[in-house]
Amino acid sequence: MGGAIKVENEKVKLYPNPANTALSVELSLKQGETATICLYNNMGQLVECEQIYNNITSMPTGNLTAGIYYYRIIDNKGNLLKSDKQAIIH
């Protein structure tokens, strides 16, 4: 996963970085659209996926160990909206 291509989409925001107790995901969904965010550890192993139904979603991070995670956000058609890395601190 370290060689992953970074995809920037100005309509998709994750904050704060680093995140402590929760990670906010902000994107523009049309009526009936959904998206999925998946977090991967530094070994490329899937850690968590969460379905996104709203334009702003809060994802709890209390169950994640501190460190750097890679994420991919995919819309309901399978299109990659954004991928990057995210720090989690506690």
Side-chain angles (χ1 to χ4, degrees):
M1 199 76 198
I5 296 171
K6 185 174 173 179
V7 176
E8 285 294 334
N9 184 331
E10 296 304 316
K11 295 180 182 176
V12 180
K13 296 178 185 165
L14 263 74
Y15 56 89
N17 194 357
N20 186 357
T21 57
L23 179 62
S24 294
V25 182
E26 191 175 320
L27 65 157
S28 298
L29 292 174
K30 294 184 178 107
Q31 185 70 30
E33 283 186 333
T34 62
T36 304
I37 181 170
C38 291
L39 295 175
Y40 301 87
N41 65 18
N42 61 0
M43 303 282 284
Q45 298 165 316
L46 178 64
V47 175
E48 184 173 338
C49 282
E50 187 165 317
Q51 197 75 22
I52 301 171
Y53 298 98
N54 303 309
N55 288 340
I56 299 177
T57 300
S58 181
M59 185 176 184
T61 59
N63 60 330
L64 300 173
T65 57
I68 301 294
Y69 292 84
Y70 297 89
Y71 67 84
R72 293 172 56 88
I73 301 174
I74 300 168
D75 69 12
N76 55 344
K77 297 179 185 88
N79 299 313
L80 180 63
L81 300 178
K82 186 168 186 171
S83 68
D84 203 349
K85 58 187 171 185
Q86 172 70 42
I88 305 293
I89 59 170
H90 295 297

